[in-house]
Amino acid sequence: MDKFEQAFQNKLDNEEKIEPKDWMPEKYRKTLIRQISQHAHSEIVGMLPEGNWITRAPSMRRKIGLLAKVQDEAGHGLYLYSAAETLGIDRAELFDQLHSGIAKYSSIFNYPTISWSDIGAIGWLVDGAAIMNQVMLTRASYGPYARAMVRICKEESFHQRQGYEMMVSLANGTEEQKEMAQDSLNRWWWPSLMMFGPSNAESTHSAQSMAWKIKRKSNDDLRQQFVDVTVPQAEYLGLKIPDDKLKWNEERGHYDFGEINWDEFWEVVKGNGPCNKERLETRVKAHENGAWVREAAMAYSEKLNTAVNHK
Amino acid sequence: MEKKNWPLWEVFLRSRSGLHHVHAGSLHAADSEMALNNARDVYTRRNEGVSIWVIESKNIIANDPSESESFFEPASDKIYRHPTFYEMPNELKHI
């Protein structure tokens, strides 16, 4: 171990943060770029399934809440892209990786939002699962990533609450509304559990990320934590979680739950989910259609600078 | 395909009067006015600031962390700059 590597390791051991200009192993840098950009892409692509319902929200209260939430996701994407850029990759390249399919985003956003109650289920379950993961990441060893996570977590709890409030209204509404809420829970439950990623034994990056203190908890531990806090919330709604094996285990002090369909998980990761193609096409189109705006703004700025310099 | 990014800007916020501006994050913008407006829209959505500074990232000069030991060395052995260096009689108060 050379002295740079030693200094890096000492910082990790002493719970000091690694900052952008500090020496770091190339693999640590690469892992962070992959993870942070994947996280950023998820925020941006995650705007699509929800944006789908903004114009059809059933009341003004729901509409402004959803609008503010989707706006936040754009902000979260920005914080994360900025954190990734401190590692020496530029924004255009990050976008290229997303648009060409090299970079991934969370598979959850490849499922369709076919009813209004899906928006409630997403806020409650998807944001709930994301929060579990993100709270852990506020202690990540890379400073800019950890700081972005602190901002994001502060804003995220409103997302989950607006979703759950929606579920409460629907679950206490007409028979039809309650069925709608149950149907959303049925469809979003398992994909939400998949959000934590493959089980520990199957996860290729986990061990190294934990050693580098990027991750602090394993995928399976986070998943268990999510199940444990979410089950009582479903019970409060009077809705049934679609898992016959779900049962409180007194001995473990946790809920036991059924096996995740990993074939489905890998199929969606590989690009064969219900909406993979549509999501990516929408992103690419938005980016390409915005090109002239970006160019015009730059041209205007250059013109202004020239004018100032000639004065 | 255009590859040119808008320049990168650093954003500093004063969260309320009486406090220093503190680095809040960064963003891309074509010019200073856009940087300021975007900083407001992104970093003060929940009243986090009463004043914003933006500066193009390339204009910030920073020390090199790999040389921080020698860079900060002048301060490390000057314990006489701290009040605890000076011995005071125990019975003395308010000093």
Side-chain angles (χ1 to χ4, degrees):
Chain A
M1 203 180 276
D2 64 23
K3 71 169 184 163
F4 291 113
E5 208 172 340
Q6 190 60 56
F8 172 80
Q9 192 58 48
N10 289 345
K11 276 190 191 150
L12 290 186
D13 293 344
N14 297 330
E15 294 292 327
E16 280 175 50
K17 299 292 181 202
I18 308 299
E19 294 295 343
K21 298 272 169 64
D22 292 346
W23 184 92
M24 61 186 84
E26 214 31 50
K27 273 191 170 164
Y28 176 82
R29 182 188 302 278
K30 287 222 169 82
T31 299
L32 280 169
I33 291 178
R34 181 184 51 76
Q35 183 175 330
I36 300 173
S37 65
Q38 189 171 318
H39 200 157
H41 301 324
S42 302
E43 298 284 355
I44 299 304
V45 177
M47 296 161 77
L48 300 174
E50 295 183 295
N52 179 33
W53 281 92
I54 291 174
T55 56
R56 291 174 291 166
S59 69
M60 201 51 166
R61 179 182 165 85
R62 294 290 180 233
K63 193 181 188 129
I64 52 176
L66 183 56
L67 201 54
K69 176 179 192 288
V70 174
Q71 231 172 11
D72 272 357
E73 315 289 6
H76 296 177
L78 173 72
Y79 308 155
L80 287 158
Y81 282 128
S82 300
E85 284 175 272
T86 63
L87 291 156
I89 185 163
D90 80 29
R91 184 79 62 89
E93 198 174 340
L94 292 169
F95 285 158
D96 272 357
Q97 290 178 352
L98 171 68
H99 298 158
S100 62
I102 298 171
K104 301 279 179 225
Y105 54 87
S106 179
S107 281
I108 193 82
F109 303 118
N110 288 319
Y111 290 86
T113 43
I114 58 177
S115 77
W116 167 249
S117 58
D118 286 357
I119 300 305
I122 287 180
W124 171 36
L125 300 171
V126 176
D127 288 84
I131 289 169
M132 294 265 144
N133 191 39
Q134 290 171 165
V135 166
M136 165 190 83
L137 291 170
T138 60
R139 297 192 295 127
S141 56
Y142 187 57
Y145 192 26
R147 291 192 287 273
M149 281 301 134
V150 171
R151 292 189 67 86
I152 290 177
C153 284
K154 272 189 200 160
E155 299 179 351
E156 198 85 53
S157 75
F158 126 67
H159 298 181
Q160 197 188 14
R161 292 173 65 136
Q162 66 92 35
Y164 194 75
E165 190 193 87
M166 216 180 280
M167 294 304 281
V168 173
S169 313
L170 291 167
N172 293 307
T174 62
E175 206 44 48
E176 221 180 344
Q177 286 173 320
K178 192 169 176 179
E179 268 169 36
M180 206 162 106
Q182 180 65 54
D183 174 58
S184 292
L185 173 56
N186 292 349
R187 284 179 293 107
W188 290 94
W189 176 254
W190 289 105
S192 298
L193 294 194
M194 293 176 198
M195 281 177 70
F196 297 98
S199 68
N200 298 347
E202 300 288 321
S203 175
T204 37
H205 306 292
S206 271
Q208 182 62 73
S209 287
M210 303 247 310
W212 277 331
K213 299 188 177 177
I214 298 172
K215 272 174 82 86
R216 300 288 184 145
K217 288 178 180 176
S218 73
N219 293 352
D220 288 331
D221 285 352
L222 286 167
R223 189 165 17 242
Q224 180 72 61
Q225 197 186 339
F226 175 73
V227 171
D228 289 347
V229 305
T230 310
V231 171
Q233 295 167 359
E235 281 167 0
Y236 179 84
L237 294 170
L239 299 179
K240 190 183 173 302
I241 288 175
D243 179 357
D244 293 335
K245 298 209 173 94
L246 186 77
K247 196 166 165 272
W248 178 251
N249 183 325
E250 194 64 56
E251 211 173 297
R252 290 202 309 127
H254 293 291
Y255 283 94
D256 290 336
F257 55 97
E259 182 67 19
I260 287 170
N261 182 349
W262 291 114
D263 292 340
E264 177 184 326
F265 173 79
W266 291 114
E267 274 306 299
V268 183
V269 170
K270 273 188 262 167
N272 302 323
C275 301
N276 295 56
K277 205 166 157 276
E278 184 192 328
R279 299 284 186 246
L280 212 52
E281 276 172 8
T282 310
R283 269 320 311 158
V284 170
K285 203 173 139 206
H287 188 71
E288 284 172 358
N289 289 347
W292 71 271
V293 179
R294 294 191 295 277
E295 279 163 30
M298 212 50 232
Y300 175 69
S301 151
E302 276 156 15
K303 202 171 155 190
L304 277 186
N305 285 338
T306 325
V308 170
N309 291 340
H310 282 221
K311 256 183 207 168
Chain B
M1 265 306 280
E2 42 89 51
K3 282 285 270 187
K4 199 159 67 168
N5 275 316
W6 283 347
L8 188 65
W9 301 74
E10 300 301 323
V11 179
F12 298 82
L13 292 183
R14 185 202 293 287
S15 55
R16 58 185 164 81
S17 63
L19 297 177
H20 289 292
H21 284 77
V22 174
H23 185 239
S26 48
L27 50 79
H28 287 273
D31 56 51
S32 55
E33 191 188 343
M34 190 195 287
L36 209 48
N37 286 335
N38 288 0
R40 175 201 58 198
D41 291 346
V42 182
Y43 290 103
T44 64
R45 284 202 299 286
R46 292 177 178 81
N47 306 316
E48 291 94 334
V50 294
S51 164
I52 303 177
W53 290 345
V54 290
I55 181 166
E56 247 192 274
S57 311
K58 66 173 188 199
N59 292 328
I60 291 184
I61 316 295
N63 67 294
D64 177 356
S66 68
E67 284 163 17
S68 36
E69 210 170 308
S70 58
F71 187 73
F72 292 109
E73 197 277 330
S76 60
D77 58 353
K78 294 179 179 59
I79 50 169
Y80 50 85
R81 285 177 176 171
H82 297 275
T84 46
F85 179 77
Y86 300 93
E87 288 173 17
M88 290 291 117
N90 279 339
E91 51 272 38
L92 216 62
K93 298 237 176 349
H94 305 301
I95 186 160

